[in-house]
Amino acid sequence: MTKRVKGSCTTVLVGKKASIDGSTIISRNDDGHEALDPQRFVVVQPEDQPRQYQAVISGVKVDLPDNPLRYTSMPNSILTNGIWPAAGINSENVAMSATETITTNPRIQGLDPYVEGGIGEEDIVTLVLPYIHSAKEGVERLGSLLTEYGTYEPNGIAFSDQDEVWWLETIGGHHWAAVRIPDDAYVVAPNRMNIDDFDFDSADTLCSDDLKALIEENHLNPDFEGYNLRHIFGSSSIKDTVYNNPRAWYGQKYFTPEVEQDPMDQDLPFICRANRKISIEDVKFVLSSHFENTKYDPYGDGTEAEKTLIRPIGINRNHNVHILQIRNNVPAEIAGVHWLAYGANTFNTVVPFYSNVNDTPACYKDATGTFDLNNMYWLSCATALLGDTDYNFYVDFRNTFELEAMSVYRGIQNETDKAVNDQTDVQKYLEAANEKLADESLKRQTKLFGDMVISGSEHMKLRYNLND
């Protein structure tokens, strides 16, 4: 098998009654092993979807149906390790994000080891998203593929439609479990097994047919009562206390600040309720955060040991952040919104691209391995790199940029929404709106970068106060 590539992402899920406007939201930082890995934002048409798929990493071959749907996708620019589509929304307004790398333990691995020739993160969106008409159907299709082909890694995958949000976690080589997120709840999921209490008899859970028997017959349950899948199939390691648990802690601290918790706690809850309705801006803040206003902030005032103790959510290895919103208060033609930004999240802003289109803007679509400040991926990475050199100096530039840019994007979206019923060609209309959004984004990110360069040049160490 080709060398495996691992990601280390963070996921936020929001039910329709937990969001500010009744939308379902699934979102994720697509983090990689390396700091840079150019990404693209594209639309895959039915005629371009393969009928027989072959993975690069594992070599697995999968015959695919003849009736794929159109879908948005975010593949790698450099395809050495395969497509890695990351996430998208299909033409039936079903969204999917894959994957969140999670954890496992030797008890399940000894019973159901990984399958070297199975499916993995490289493949999952391509194999599932073009063929599903609901979030639950996404769980069922992926579950059947895992049963048939197996997987070589542990992953968490999110699905949503206008009504439901589902979260699936793989277990061993062939097993899986999924939970429907309650409408009034949210989830912050780092790189660990996240599902805790699991009711095998609930209509809001799905799993491998033999999962309960696997647990019982092999004495896998460490608890005296109930079934906590994190305890049964996950890890509880020292690494979790500094790498994973604090990310869940900070997200929960932001959404539910009245609940006091330890950032290293191994039993932070999976399903949570916020103290307010959650906005896109809230989700973006959490996915960009570096433990602001705590001693753990790498840019903060803690000791060096505290500032480097735990892994931030916003990090140099953020390749993209996507927030997939399926709206309920608008016509179906404009319900799907694929919010997107590239690079380390601390110095970018998400843009609300309509998903019901046949093409995407060039500056978001055409990144290559060559550095190019006319491309949003590379421009975003360059801005974040400069900002990292003196965060406290540049943060006000970032704050002003984000407020002004998001206000403009929201204005374009509002205008586009209001006039959609007057259009004879909705897709062309939405493509034009997306181009306008992309133009604004490129212009404003370029201005931010330029302002930072101009102001920062006055603070370089290579200077002397006496003029010639």
Side-chain angles (χ1 to χ4, degrees), residues 47-68:
E47 59 268 24
D48 297 323
Q49 176 72 4
R51 287 344 187 238
Q52 185 183 64
Y53 175 85
Q54 182 168 4
V56 171
I57 292 176
S58 72
V60 65
K61 294 181 180 179
V62 181
D63 290 328
L64 296 174
D66 287 327
N67 57 342

Side-chain angles (χ1 to χ4, degrees), residues 268-297:
L268 293 170
F270 174 57
I271 303 294
C272 301
R273 269 79 180 180
N275 70 348
R276 63 194 182 281
K277 293 183 179 180
I278 296 171
S279 68
I280 295 295
E281 287 82 356
D282 289 328
V283 174
K284 174 60 165 65
F285 174 81
V286 169
L287 291 175
S288 304
S289 61
H290 41 89
F291 306 122
E292 291 92 323
N293 293 332
T294 77
K295 62 186 178 182
Y296 306 112
D297 185 353

Side-chain angles (χ1 to χ4, degrees), residues 119 124 128 137-146 157 159 168:
I119 62 175
I124 290 176
V128 177
E137 191 177 325
V139 170
E140 292 168 337
R141 175 166 173 80
L142 178 55
S144 68
L145 290 167
L146 291 166
I157 299 95
F159 299 92
L168 180 150

Side-chain angles (χ1 to χ4, degrees), residues 162-357:
Q162 286 185 302
D163 293 318
E164 298 185 339
V165 175
W166 282 81
W167 175 253
L168 180 150
E169 293 186 326
T170 66
I171 297 168
H174 292 91
H175 291 81
W176 58 275
V179 174
R180 182 187 184 277
I181 308 306
D183 292 342
D184 64 346
Y186 74 90
V187 166
V188 180
N191 301 117
R192 65 173 186 199
M193 186 86 185
N194 289 283
I195 298 173
D196 48 22
D197 296 332
F198 191 83
D199 183 354
F200 283 94
D201 298 320
S202 172
D204 292 329
T205 62
L206 293 167
C207 64
S208 305
D209 292 341
D210 64 339
L211 189 65
K212 188 174 183 180
L214 179 77
I215 295 169
E216 299 291 354
E217 293 171 5
N218 294 283
H219 311 290
L220 297 178
N221 193 351
D223 297 324
F224 293 109
E225 295 182 358
Y227 296 88
N228 184 314
L229 298 193
R230 195 186 307 164
H231 293 171
I232 297 169
F233 298 117
S235 60
S236 185
S237 67
I238 297 301
K239 179 179 178 179
D240 287 329
T241 67
V242 295
Y243 194 83
N244 291 318
N245 304 343
R247 285 182 275 158
W249 163 77
Y250 193 80
Q252 293 175 16
K253 178 181 175 68
Y254 180 75
F255 290 129
T256 320
E258 63 273 17
V259 177
E260 294 288 337
Q261 299 178 132
D262 187 320
M264 294 189 179
D265 189 349
Q266 302 281 24
D267 285 315
L268 293 170
F270 174 57
I271 303 294
C272 301
R273 269 79 180 180
N275 70 348
R276 63 194 182 281
K277 293 183 179 180
I278 296 171
S279 68
I280 295 295
E281 287 82 356
D282 289 328
V283 174
K284 174 60 165 65
F285 174 81
V286 169
L287 291 175
S288 304
S289 61
H290 41 89
F291 306 122
E292 291 92 323
N293 293 332
T294 77
K295 62 186 178 182
Y296 306 112
D297 185 353
Y299 297 132
D301 298 323
T303 67
E304 286 305 307
E306 289 168 338
K307 290 193 293 184
T308 57
L309 178 63
I310 58 181
R311 185 251 203 226
I313 300 173
I315 198 169
N316 66 324
R317 293 184 282 110
N318 298 146
H319 293 159
N320 75 65
V321 55
H322 50 268
I323 304 174
L324 308 183
Q325 179 186 28
I326 310 297
R327 301 186 290 174
N328 278 295
N329 59 345
V330 297
E333 292 89 345
I334 56 172
V337 183
H338 190 136
W339 296 79
L340 175 61
Y342 292 125
N345 291 336
T346 304
F347 285 90
N348 63 20
T349 184
V350 286
V351 180
F353 293 116
Y354 292 92
S355 64
N356 181 23
V357 293

